[in-house]
Amino acid sequence: MSEYRKDLTTCAYCPNTCRSGYAAAAPVQIESQTPSALSLITLAVLDGRLSLDEETRKTLGRRGPTEASVGQCTYGLNMPAAIDAALLTGTAHG
Ligand code: SF4
């Protein structure tokens, strides 16, 4: 299993314990934009259950809470990097 898939799987089933690292003054955190949600969406793309169309790309581009998780992650993961690696590498074949 690739490193990014391991990270995505860990994050997808995590209850967003990095949430406290998201600044209170930042825009309201929308559940579908949490690192966990973006990980689930990315896994669905990798597994061919979701098309990487414009809407999906737009959704995966809403990175505010995911960027804020870097340095706050319980597992020490860098989820923006893992999502980028998955989208670059995991979908390169089609
Ligand atoms: S970034 Fe880390 S702490 Fe946040 S949801 Fe993902 S695995 Fe959990």
Side-chain angles (χ1 to χ4, degrees):
M1 182 186 285
S2 64
E3 198 61 37
Y4 61 75
R5 183 178 277 275
K6 275 193 274 182
D7 292 353
L8 290 166
T9 302
T10 298
C11 189
Y13 296 100
C14 174
N16 288 296
T17 48
C18 57
R19 191 185 304 266
S20 60
Y22 190 64
V28 172
Q29 186 172 172
I30 298 170
E31 203 57 33
S32 62
Q33 297 175 13
T34 61
S36 186
L38 295 195
S39 294
L40 275 172
I41 293 167
T42 304
L43 285 170
V45 169
L46 292 180
D47 294 343
R49 291 179 280 116
L50 184 66
S51 157
L52 189 57
D53 59 14
E54 188 180 336
E55 190 62 30
T56 303
R57 286 185 187 278
K58 197 180 341 171
T59 299
L60 289 173
R62 295 178 180 131
R63 295 279 182 95
T66 302
E67 296 285 354
S69 74
V70 178
Q72 304 293 327
C73 176
T74 303
Y75 302 98
L77 304 180
N78 182 324
M79 291 317 300
I83 293 168
D84 286 341
L87 295 177
L88 276 173
T89 310
T91 61
H93 56 280

